[in-house]
Amino acid sequence: MKIKAFRRENGRYGIRNHLLVMPTSVCAADTAARIAAQVPGAVSIPNQHGCCQISSDLLLTQKTIVGFGRNANVGAVLVVGLGCDGIQAEAAAAEVAETGKPVEHVVIQETGGTLKTISRGVELAASMARKLSTQVREECDISELIMGLECGGSDPTSGLASNPTIGYASTKLVDNGGSSILSETTEVIGAEHLLAARFADPLQREKFLRLVKAVEDRAISMGEDLRSGQPTPGNKAGGLSTIEEKSLGCMYKAGTSPFTGALDYAEEVPDAHGLYFMDTPGQDIDSITGMVAGGAQLVIFSTGRGTPTGCPIAPVIKITGNPETFEKMPDNIDINAGRIISEGATVAEIGEELFEMMIEVCNGSMPKAESLGHKEFGIYKLTGTF
Amino acid sequence: MNPILHVNEKDNMVTCLRPVAKGESVEVEGRTITAAADIPVFHKMAIAEIKAGGLCYKYGEVIGDATEDIHVGDHVHVHNIESTRGRGDKQH
């Protein structure tokens, strides 16, 4: 099965050809955004971190933004740093440059302040954008695709209709040699025994169970109760009663493939294709950001209640299992799996429709979140800022 | 359309695919069950007696404990079942 995508220097394929203007810290974020705004085709990310974080969080921030730079959907990168920030622009640029893609960097304190940095940044970015504009899509196998699986604003229809539909498409992708990532560790709690049994490698199974236990233990160690945040008020209004109920519905997104491995947040998906689990929070934006930092070029997002979420560098296809939500939010939802509930359509029928749309989106057509310009971005934080 | 979805035979509750009014009777696998309360769309209704502290099943798996006696036809939600996991409050 073939798609048409942009070949990168390291042999990977991107389904988009973004020029990423990447701020290493919150202090550089506004300058980066202003550079991107002046260069057609450039996109920036609103990085809220990267300074005065302690080691684990600082590393997580660096891994996330570097992962965005390395993602195959990005053709070239301009790194923007302040200078005294925790993540140094030159080091971040070097990590991205390992992929072979064009990378430049500017440092605000060295370049002479906001205006001179914008001027120099626009010059560099425009030059890279011109080169990217000459690149054309090439045919490649669908096994080049890494897909992130997400659900947000869940209600009981997510577990009954839209997540099983995503599971169908995910299994079909993995059967065709591609990769999928299940994420949201908080939404595995209560269903981990079922997923653990699907890991072929005992070491990866142990890592997966360790990741799940760590999240549960972290909440308990803070004297907190996961019930205070999960299910969310919207989930409860929709009919979900407990974290276990939410988790059991959530896991249907992973289809029926065996698990190849378990990944830390933003960890790069290995060359071995298959189904992966990634340790991300249940919060949709941070979760999608982690999977895209790990290499996902496309995200499939199931929502019962409806949500507009997109991503700066990866198209997000929305699917709902709730027929009313499809009627109420036509701007935001691409696929109506509510027909499984209201019209007796089968999971396989809607699953095929979703898979067909995935191919079209890989080839360049825009799902609704992308056409509306949604670019939500957020990095998982484990501690506070110091 | 059948307004009730019983996902797994082990489940002691069903999901209502449309709002079910208090006093309304619905068929669940040959049994007639009368709703004891107004049940909103996609919320759950008990189809078996569950004692306080008893296990609540959906998808054939435990989704929590009953916090009070739940009777056939009752609305099952956060007011009468609770999570058994991630319970910081139970660690003190």
Side-chain angles (χ1 to χ4, degrees):
Chain A
M1 207 171 280
K2 303 290 180 191
I3 55 172
K4 284 186 172 173
F6 298 96
R7 189 170 198 280
R8 299 298 170 214
E9 293 76 2
N10 60 358
R12 297 274 171 95
Y13 284 85
I15 61 171
R16 294 294 181 270
N17 207 23
H18 292 296
L19 166 63
L20 180 63
V21 184
M22 191 174 91
T24 55
S25 67
V26 60
C27 311
D30 195 56
T31 304
R34 292 200 226 173
I35 293 169
Q38 292 188 47
V39 181
V43 63
S44 186
I45 50 177
N47 179 7
Q48 290 292 305
H49 307 300
C51 196
C52 296
Q53 292 181 286
I54 58 170
S55 61
S56 54
D57 264 348
L58 189 63
L59 288 172
L60 209 56
T61 301
Q62 177 149 359
K63 200 160 79 164
T64 306
I65 60 163
V66 165
F68 261 57
R70 293 172 69 101
N71 187 298
N73 281 355
V74 171
V77 179
L78 172 65
V79 181
V80 184
L82 174 60
C84 58
D85 28 11
I87 297 170
Q88 291 292 296
E90 195 171 357
E95 283 189 66
V96 174
E98 285 170 7
T99 62
K101 70 180 69 173
V103 184
E104 300 282 355
H105 73 278
V106 285
V107 176
I108 298 167
Q109 287 165 351
E110 290 169 12
T111 309
T114 303
L115 297 177
K116 285 179 182 152
T117 304
I118 292 172
S119 166
R120 178 70 186 137
V122 167
E123 201 178 315
L124 291 166
S127 163
M128 290 194 284
R130 275 195 297 277
K131 283 181 193 142
L132 281 184
S133 72
T134 63
Q135 198 177 357
V136 293
R137 288 176 182 270
E138 299 172 28
E139 193 172 83
C140 70
D141 197 81
I142 196 165
S143 60
E144 298 291 338
L145 185 65
I146 302 172
M147 183 165 81
L149 313 173
E150 184 67 33
C151 59
S154 298
D155 72 7
T157 67
S158 303
L160 298 170
S162 51
N163 288 349
T165 302
I166 292 182
Y168 177 95
S170 170
T171 301
K172 185 165 178 174
L173 176 64
V174 172
D175 285 349
N176 278 280
S179 300
S180 274
I181 313 171
L182 178 73
S183 63
E184 303 173 280
T185 312
T186 29
E187 289 161 33
V188 164
I189 292 170
E192 69 268 48
H193 55 298
L194 302 169
L195 296 171
R198 290 165 54 185
F199 279 77
D201 179 346
L203 289 176
Q204 292 295 318
R205 182 188 309 137
E206 275 170 40
K207 180 179 178 185
F208 164 72
L209 289 171
R210 203 167 58 240
L211 293 172
V212 179
K213 187 169 185 307
V215 168
E216 196 163 359
D217 286 350
R218 184 156 60 93
I220 290 169
S221 74
M222 295 165 85
E224 276 297 328
D225 182 342
L226 277 174
R227 293 175 310 162
S228 60
Q230 295 286 353
T232 66
N235 293 152
K236 287 177 185 167
L240 290 174
S241 308
T242 65
I243 193 165
E244 294 94 322
E245 183 184 9
K246 187 172 172 180
S247 295
L248 288 162
C250 184
M251 65 169 232
Y252 284 99
K253 296 197 301 293
T256 55
S257 311
F259 279 90
T260 303
L263 307 170
D264 295 320
Y265 184 84
E267 184 178 345
E268 204 157 86
V269 176
D271 283 333
H273 298 196
L275 177 63
Y276 287 85
F277 176 79
M278 181 181 281
D279 180 28
T280 74
Q283 203 262 39
D284 313 331
I285 317 298
D286 291 8
S287 181
I288 289 176
T289 298
M291 290 189 285
V292 172
Q297 306 112 311
L298 174 67
V299 177
I300 310 293
F301 192 123
S302 148
T303 177
R305 310 273 296 167
T307 167
T309 303
C311 172
I313 61 165
V316 177
I317 297 176
K318 291 280 166 48
I319 174 168
T320 186
N322 188 325
E324 274 185 37
T325 298
F326 188 75
E327 295 298 321
K328 274 163 66 180
M329 294 181 67
D331 291 351
N332 302 99
I333 314 287
D334 297 289
I335 300 252
N336 179 15
R339 283 175 287 156
I340 293 168
I341 287 169
S342 62
E343 297 169 23
T346 65
V347 166
E349 281 165 5
I350 313 291
E352 285 294 330
E353 188 182 321
L354 172 60
F355 199 82
E356 208 171 290
M357 178 174 279
M358 283 161 49
I359 303 258
E360 285 171 11
V361 169
C362 283
N363 290 342
S365 87
M366 287 197 279
K368 289 178 178 172
E370 190 177 26
S371 71
L372 294 173
H374 276 282
K375 293 183 178 66
E376 286 80 356
F377 175 88
I379 302 175
Y380 190 19
K381 286 190 76 185
L382 301 172
T383 62
T385 303
F386 291 87
Chain B
M1 184 185 77
N2 184 358
I4 298 302
L5 186 64
H6 190 202
V7 185
N8 186 291
E9 59 182 26
K10 203 171 173 182
D11 297 353
N12 46 17
M13 56 196 63
V14 292
T15 302
C16 299
L17 299 179
R18 64 163 171 77
V20 174
K22 182 178 179 178
E24 187 181 339
S25 292
V26 291
E27 295 292 315
V28 181
E29 284 136 29
R31 296 163 59 199
T32 301
I33 291 177
T34 304
D38 286 336
I39 301 177
V41 61
F42 303 133
H43 283 232
K44 295 176 290 297
M45 180 173 75
I47 57 166
E49 294 289 317
I50 311 169
K51 290 279 174 208
L55 297 174
C56 301
Y57 286 91
K58 182 182 168 187
Y59 298 114
E61 299 288 334
V62 174
I63 63 164
D65 292 334
T67 54
E68 57 188 58
D69 289 348
I70 296 174
H71 305 292
V72 173
D74 280 354
H75 178 207
V76 181
H77 199 31
V78 290
H79 61 284
N80 55 11
I81 74 171
E82 65 177 13
S83 177
T84 62
R85 302 293 300 274
R87 296 292 298 269
D89 61 326
K90 284 190 170 177
Q91 308 299 314
H92 302 299

